[in-house]
Amino acid sequence: MEIKDITYSYDKKTNHLENISSKIDQHKITTIIGPNGSGKSTLLGILANSYAPNKGQVMIDGKQLHQIKPKELAKKIAIVHQQNSAPADMTVEKLTSYGRLPYKSIFSNQTPDDQQAVEWALQKTNLIAKKTKMISELSGGERQRAWIAMTLAQSTPYLFLDEPTTYLDIYYQYEILELVKQLNSENGLTIVMVLHDINQAIRYSDTIMVMKDGKLIKKGTPEQVVTSELIQEIYGVQAVVKMDEESGLYILPLGTQ
Ligand code: ADP
Ligand code: MG
């Protein structure tokens, strides 16, 4: 996937994204970090063709995103948004089966392929035992997994996740991150996600992209990107960045002075 000189504005006054060029490496995990309002969700929305750029283009498999029919694109890219709302009285299995919509015409019934994909998605997200439960009956972690199950049923090579760990306690945060890692390493999915926790970004990413004020400030491996200078520049936070023998690279924020 290639991002070619993207500029985007919601209101035609300010550029919420400005001259962004980059490549998303296939079969890798790319994480976007940056302060609130820096354009992370907007960029993800552009990559998923939810918004059309004012300038520039995004290419996937050599084609421009907007030239691909929505149904065909939905077979390539699945996205889990920051905020999701399902009817509370929908079962986990039903929600998951919505991931199959791109494969259906109005009149078609569930095919064995559909059933298999839904079953696989529920298995991957460890929701088989919960499949007849209503979304409203789930914990926060299970609910997040149910949304991921829906996108997995979509059977796409690209999976985008916007702050998938927000509002989850630390156990569920790592559960989601381990799932993402597994989907990448075992199933070859190309992952692009937005994370706030820099240590999690370091641990789970092949590549980190850093956004500020709608611009892509830096991109590289965690070791290349995460330095105390960058944290100061981007967030205005003083931080120690260290290499630990056991846990690898980590950051310890000290304060805002
Ligand atoms: P992030 O995900 O990094 O927190 P966003 O991409 O959501 O940032 O937002 C980037 C900028 O675009 C912010 O200034 C935000 O106020 C603005 N913005 C986001 N969504 C909209 C919208 N639907 N309409 C107008 N402005 C928006
Ligand atoms: Mg956001």
Side-chain angles (χ1 to χ4, degrees):
M1 191 172 222
E2 214 172 325
I3 307 164
K4 290 183 168 174
D5 201 18
I6 291 287
T7 294
Y8 180 76
S9 169
Y10 286 101
D11 55 14
K12 307 265 183 284
K13 285 184 217 137
T14 13
N15 282 341
H16 295 100
L17 294 178
E18 206 169 296
N19 301 117
I20 295 190
S21 292
S22 190
K23 260 194 187 136
I24 304 294
D25 291 326
Q26 254 185 316
H27 310 298
K28 300 274 192 237
I29 300 180
T30 301
T31 301
I32 307 170
I33 64 170
N36 290 328
S38 58
K40 305 181 296 296
S41 297
T42 307
L43 179 58
L44 214 54
I46 293 273
L47 298 187
N49 207 34
S50 309
Y51 317 117
N54 301 111
K55 197 181 107 208
Q57 49 194 275
V58 179
M59 311 284 293
I60 186 169
D61 305 336
K63 276 192 200 154
Q64 290 183 33
L65 274 196
H66 71 265
Q67 289 177 333
I68 302 172
K69 291 197 183 99
K71 232 174 167 172
E72 289 313 305
L73 194 61
K75 292 174 188 170
K76 290 181 191 284
I77 299 172
I79 180 163
V80 182
H81 291 281
Q82 214 168 334
Q83 251 124 28
N84 294 296
S85 52
D89 59 351
M90 184 183 283
T91 65
V92 172
E93 191 172 24
K94 182 86 189 163
L95 179 68
T96 305
S97 73
Y98 278 174
R100 298 305 295 168
L101 285 178
Y103 298 89
K104 305 190 133 343
S105 64
I106 310 172
F107 302 109
S108 63
N109 290 318
Q110 246 208 354
T111 65
D113 270 1
D114 294 332
Q115 271 160 14
Q116 217 176 352
V118 168
E119 196 70 11
W120 175 76
L122 290 169
Q123 233 158 36
K124 271 279 164 192
T125 50
N126 202 16
L127 284 171
I128 293 283
K130 305 269 175 180
K131 68 179 182 184
T132 57
K133 286 254 186 285
M134 301 294 172
I135 299 298
S136 58
E137 296 174 286
L138 302 180
S139 72
E142 289 165 348
R143 203 167 297 179
Q144 187 63 298
R145 280 191 274 132
W147 285 105
I148 296 176
M150 185 184 84
T151 55
L152 291 186
Q154 225 175 303
S155 309
T156 59
Y158 287 84
L159 176 60
F160 299 163
L161 304 128
D162 198 349
E163 296 190 28
T165 57
T166 304
Y167 305 122
L168 299 179
D169 72 37
I170 189 164
Y171 178 88
Y172 288 120
Q173 288 185 22
Y174 281 89
E175 187 184 57
I176 296 287
L177 291 166
E178 292 296 333
L179 170 62
V180 166
K181 181 121 202 140
Q182 198 193 70
L183 288 166
N184 169 256
S185 61
E186 288 177 18
N187 304 98
L189 268 73
T190 302
I191 310 275
V192 183
M193 62 181 166
V194 175
L195 291 180
H196 269 304
D197 188 306
I198 297 162
N199 283 315
Q200 291 176 350
I202 292 172
R203 177 101 190 256
Y204 288 93
S205 318
D206 297 299
T207 304
I208 296 180
M209 289 168 70
V210 186
M211 302 276 304
K212 193 184 184 187
D213 298 332
K215 297 185 189 76
L216 178 60
I217 301 287
K218 206 162 181 187
K219 183 194 166 194
T221 63
E223 288 74 15
Q224 288 168 338
V225 167
V226 181
T227 61
S228 45
E229 291 78 22
L230 179 108
I231 301 303
Q232 179 65 256
E233 179 193 340
I234 298 299
Y235 295 99
V237 164
Q238 228 190 5
V240 172
V241 176
K242 282 208 162 136
M243 184 59 91
D244 180 70
E245 258 183 46
E246 240 172 274
S247 56
L249 193 75
Y250 70 95
I251 146 174
L252 180 65
L254 298 177
T256 53
Q257 296 307 310

